[in-house]
Amino acid sequence: MELSVNGTSYSLDVEEDMPLLWALRDELGITGPKYGCGIAQCGACTVHIDGQAVRSCQMPVGDIGNAEITTIEGLGTPEAMHAVQQAWVDHQVAQCGYCQSGQIMQAAAFLETHPEPSDEDIDRAMSSNLCRCGTYPRIRAAVKTAAAKLQGA
Amino acid sequence: MRILLAAATAMACAAPLWAEGDHGLTIPSLTAEVTPEAGLEAWDRLHEVFTHPRCINCHVGEEAVPLWTTTHGANPGETRPHGMNIHGGDSRVGAEYIDCGTCHVTSTRPNTTPGAPPHAGLDWQLAPLEFQWTGKTPAEICAQVRDPERNGGRDGAGLIEHITHDAEVAGFITWGFTPGAGREPAPGSLQSHLDDTAAWVAAGMPCPGDPLPASAPTEASE
Amino acid sequence: MGRTRTIARRSFLIGSAAVLGGVAFGTYLAVKPSENPLTESLAEGEAAFNPFVKITEQGITLIAPHADSGQGVHSMQTALIAEELDIALDQAEVSFGAPDPAYYNTAMANDAVPFAAFDEGLAARSMRVVASSAFKILGVQGTGGSSSTPDQYDKLRAAGAMARETLKAAAARRTGLPAEQLKTENGRVITPTGEAIPYTALAAEAAQIPPVTDTPLRDPAEWRLIGKPMQRTDIVAKSTGTLPYGIDISLPDMLHAAVRINPRQGGELLDFDAAKAEAMRGVKAVLPVTGGLAVVADNTWRAFKAAEALEVTWGPAPYPAEQAEHWEAVANSFTPERLNTTWRDDGDVDTAHQGEVITAEYRAPYVAHQPLEPLGAIIRADANGAEVWSGHQLPRFVQMQVAAKVGCEMEQVTFHNQFIGGSFGHRLEFDVITLAAEIAAQLPGVPIKLTFSREEDFAQDYPRQIGMARSTGSVKDGRVESWALDIATVSSSVSQMGRMGLSLSGPDAQIVAGAWNMPFALPHLRVRGYIVPELAPTSSWRSVGASTSGFFAEGFFDELIHAAGADPLEERLRLVTRPVHRQVLEAIGEMSNWGSDLGAGRGRGLAMFESFGVPVAEVVEVTDTPAGIRIDKVFVAADVGRVVDPVNFENLVQGGVIWGLGHAINSEITYADGKAEQSNYHMAEGMRLYQTPQIEVRGLENGSHVRGIGEPPVPPAAPALANAIFAATGTRLREMPFYKHINFV
């Protein structure tokens, strides 16, 4: 089976029903996507598949085909952060940070198609991602900052 | 990768596609003798399926908020808005906020994990607005289902094809009867649902409150 | 080579030691108990040295021994050192360091004694000294009880100051200039002519001279970092997916393990059939572990699937099988036999209650911790000992527990502490550590990564204590007159310490935490704690006893004030006895514009509660909408003595409020057939973003001690919400979770 992740093609021999999350983490060593719940309750495993946010714990690898997968590692790097990541740094969103890969991937996919979100839009787009530390006030602020930054770019 | 509103755009086909399909269903006759009374009884069973949580929870109105029937929490069995502030938007697929497909992936594999979002072989979505069943009487829903203007342009044969095509792609109707992961299925089976649909069509699509007709309406004889 | 020039500074000894290629600065600890280990001079070999600052030619390393489960102490510890050392936050490598008794937590011990944090009386002070010494001898390098900042606030700055001055002394020797003429900046010593000598270039010389230990700490007015917004040292890594948590570590030839443990916690595995699991792809072994089975496979998901496929027969639970029996046990504990102690008895409540009284019963359920990073650990064990990679709040106990499982000395266990994806108290427990050790001991030499599935995490969690309160009170002439508060909970302290092989001597202050020492002078006030016989195992849950007693006390206090016809803020201000608490109340009144009209269908509720020495007042504003209660806004005023980083402070306060509100609304653990009924977040959701109110925070600095803020915002949140709902709707909520009684939007 072939998977294209962050622009690199990988060949792997796994069950078709293995969730993408575990293929990424345990087979390919790509650990930005996190395991939190396994049932799409937390969103910590969010990746982009052809640009759309997807909970990788729900996505059987055998159903991905040749779609392009992007993980947080492919969104930006510490040296060259994506606007959403930069906004997360500027607002010091993270506490434990474990959910934030997923939050950032969700926000990045959302802003790609909704460059000028209202408060209500953000509340609808970002409420499927769980943060046990309670960084939600900062997530709201960071999404707005990122939107403004992307608009200006 | 998204097939927008597949169900809404599927039109009735003249050729019986299901004959070649892999739906595993026995196609009942649409021209059998079915009395209006038997037709209404079939309708009652259809209505029971349509208003079962597995079906009606996504046949919501303009508010575009899918429903959950809880299995736990303060009041198990209660119907409440989908958690996580989910909103389907005008797109009915959540494109304005968060896509249904973010969690409800498109896959024909069985649903096995309790608490996980169900998936099907079609892209998860709310039913089109004209298919709203919430807050409607049986007669209102029935009138919708037999009206091609409000059922995706389907005649009787089209309704049958809708079911068999769904079986071929492991769509939402199929899922409703085999939701997996401890969810209560819609009553009956996909086959019995198909049989009831056929009987209802053969009886001339009678609805509750219809004046009893002297003869079958024309839709069934096409 | 260690030199023990020791001084008695506050409660620790500081000094330096030469290390390979440089010098280290840190604290000394007596390795044998003595009359007064804090002040006695120590001879060579009697002291263990542990560095906080290490400087070699290669660079600067800071050791931040407190575990970071998201509260930001890794960064905070760095800042405390950097403030005095004159380096930038990103100028040093920061490590958790090896577990060591020298990192014992003096502040944590302070909360183990049954005296109010503000009590500076002789008895309280002597008890703290005794407890502190015990922790020190035990070597509790603990993180918890919001104690990291109080523990490290002086020590780390002192280590930084000593390092700076010693480096200056080395530079003075080299240049022949008097040290007073030298300045330090950005990790360099600067001469009057502007010559800059990097610390790294002075490290070898600094090791050759006596450390400068009599440097006074800088005046706060000179601070560059403390008290100002800082960029957390972990923030970029946490925003780019590049920070490895324990669960992300991978070792060569590592195998992945999952467990299936009797969900009737503590019950036995009676029978099993592993044939199906063993035949599954990738499965290497099915092994017995305490209470169940482990599957070892080549991939976590395969291990999870195989663990699910095990056919098992479980024995009964060692506690009542049904939730109703748990409540019954709590309700039956308000008896003289179960009286833990009478903590406070002002005036004479019995006489005061001969007339008309107000009574109410409050309930708080078990609640799970469920940090988002599931519990996990990597352990490799062999004949030489063991190596452990995991995030934990009690590293020395990790070594002990692993040593006991693999059969070696604790010195043979190397522990690599990791960044933690949340704890809320669960990473004070050893369940995943001992299970991983049992698996690793059966597969010598193979690194085993054990990960709990979320379902296993729920099944094996040790929830927050279950409890009830019965209150009786009276009012007179528009004032609160008397209050008898009886609280009965299981003791999470007894349960938790029992699992560590320790016992609690004396009554459990957590049962009545914050309630018995409430800073209010009622004419008649009695607070009694009752200890419920052990039921399901319980543990410390963010804010521990105060998470239940805060709801019990501040909920009923509001009822009494309402019955008196008084204003909730005015009556508290009338009764409050301590200036710091008064200032907190005054601040919250001003912030929330208390007394202003909110309009129809809206209400505000106030609660103030102290935990871990921090008084926190919260005002919650709600609207009663047709679909349910909406929480609009929360105001918080908290006094921590000193706000080290206002940004992180605000974040932690907001998070604490969200934690308190979310769980009060919708989370509990209930037992049926001896098993927790909740298996994942869909059954214990906590708060989500759309439900989150605006949260306005003010940090006050009137208190005389620096305090931590991780937990204190939690206890007032639930009662402030209940009181707001009463104000808006007239419905009084006396049982969590609230969603059983009222809808929320």
Short mmCIF file of all heavy atoms in Angstrom, two decimals, chain C residues 3 5 16 166 169 173 206-213:
data_model
loop_
_atom_site.label_atom_id
_atom_site.label_comp_id
_atom_site.label_asym_id
_atom_site.label_seq_id
_atom_site.Cartn_x
_atom_site.Cartn_y
_atom_site.Cartn_z
N ARG C 3 32.23 20.32 46.71
CA ARG C 3 32.64 21.18 47.83
C ARG C 3 31.39 21.66 48.53
O ARG C 3 30.43 22.08 47.88
CB ARG C 3 33.46 22.36 47.31
CG ARG C 3 34.92 21.96 47.07
CD ARG C 3 35.64 22.98 46.26
NE ARG C 3 35.10 23.07 44.91
CZ ARG C 3 34.46 24.13 44.45
NH1 ARG C 3 34.24 25.16 45.24
NH2 ARG C 3 34.01 24.15 43.23
N ARG C 5 30.64 24.12 50.75
CA ARG C 5 30.53 25.38 51.47
C ARG C 5 29.03 25.63 51.63
O ARG C 5 28.32 25.85 50.64
CB ARG C 5 31.19 26.51 50.70
CG ARG C 5 30.74 27.83 51.28
CD ARG C 5 31.68 28.95 51.03
NE ARG C 5 31.14 30.15 51.64
CZ ARG C 5 31.47 31.36 51.27
NH1 ARG C 5 32.34 31.53 50.30
NH2 ARG C 5 30.96 32.40 51.87
N SER C 16 28.29 24.67 44.96
CA SER C 16 28.70 24.37 43.59
C SER C 16 29.52 23.10 43.58
O SER C 16 29.95 22.61 44.62
CB SER C 16 29.50 25.53 43.00
OG SER C 16 30.75 25.62 43.66
N THR C 166 29.48 33.75 40.89
CA THR C 166 30.67 32.91 40.84
C THR C 166 31.37 33.07 39.49
O THR C 166 32.60 33.14 39.41
CB THR C 166 30.32 31.44 41.12
OG1 THR C 166 29.56 31.37 42.33
CG2 THR C 166 31.56 30.58 41.25
N ALA C 169 33.16 36.22 39.61
CA ALA C 169 34.39 36.07 40.40
C ALA C 169 35.49 35.43 39.55
O ALA C 169 36.67 35.81 39.63
CB ALA C 169 34.11 35.25 41.66
N ARG C 173 39.03 37.17 38.44
CA ARG C 173 40.37 36.56 38.57
C ARG C 173 41.11 36.60 37.24
O ARG C 173 42.29 36.88 37.19
CB ARG C 173 40.24 35.12 39.04
CG ARG C 173 40.22 35.02 40.57
CD ARG C 173 39.89 33.65 41.06
NE ARG C 173 40.80 32.62 40.54
CZ ARG C 173 41.28 31.64 41.28
NH1 ARG C 173 40.99 31.56 42.56
NH2 ARG C 173 42.07 30.73 40.74
N ALA C 206 35.49 28.76 36.95
CA ALA C 206 34.50 28.89 38.03
C ALA C 206 34.50 27.65 38.92
O ALA C 206 34.18 27.73 40.11
CB ALA C 206 33.11 29.13 37.45
N ALA C 207 34.83 26.53 38.33
CA ALA C 207 34.85 25.29 39.10
C ALA C 207 36.00 25.27 40.10
O ALA C 207 35.99 24.50 41.05
CB ALA C 207 34.96 24.09 38.15
N GLN C 208 37.00 26.12 39.88
CA GLN C 208 38.19 26.10 40.72
C GLN C 208 38.11 27.06 41.91
O GLN C 208 39.02 27.11 42.71
CB GLN C 208 39.43 26.46 39.87
CG GLN C 208 39.65 25.57 38.66
CD GLN C 208 39.71 24.10 39.02
OE1 GLN C 208 40.35 23.73 40.02
NE2 GLN C 208 39.04 23.26 38.25
N ILE C 209 37.04 27.85 41.97
CA ILE C 209 36.97 28.83 43.06
C ILE C 209 35.75 28.55 43.94
O ILE C 209 34.81 27.90 43.51
CB ILE C 209 36.89 30.28 42.50
CG1 ILE C 209 35.64 30.43 41.59
CG2 ILE C 209 38.15 30.62 41.74
CD1 ILE C 209 35.40 31.86 41.16
N PRO C 210 35.80 29.03 45.17
CA PRO C 210 34.64 28.81 46.05
C PRO C 210 33.42 29.53 45.49
O PRO C 210 33.56 30.65 44.96
CB PRO C 210 35.05 29.44 47.38
CG PRO C 210 36.52 29.70 47.28
CD PRO C 210 36.86 29.80 45.84
N PRO C 211 32.26 28.92 45.58
CA PRO C 211 31.07 29.58 45.05
C PRO C 211 30.72 30.81 45.88
O PRO C 211 30.98 30.85 47.08
CB PRO C 211 29.98 28.51 45.18
CG PRO C 211 30.47 27.61 46.25
CD PRO C 211 31.96 27.61 46.17
N VAL C 212 30.16 31.80 45.23
CA VAL C 212 29.73 33.02 45.93
C VAL C 212 28.30 32.81 46.38
O VAL C 212 27.37 32.83 45.56
CB VAL C 212 29.84 34.24 44.98
CG1 VAL C 212 29.44 35.51 45.72
CG2 VAL C 212 31.25 34.35 44.42
N THR C 213 28.14 32.54 47.65
CA THR C 213 26.82 32.10 48.12
C THR C 213 26.08 33.15 48.94
O THR C 213 24.99 32.90 49.40
CB THR C 213 26.95 30.83 48.98
OG1 THR C 213 27.84 31.12 50.06
CG2 THR C 213 27.48 29.67 48.17
#
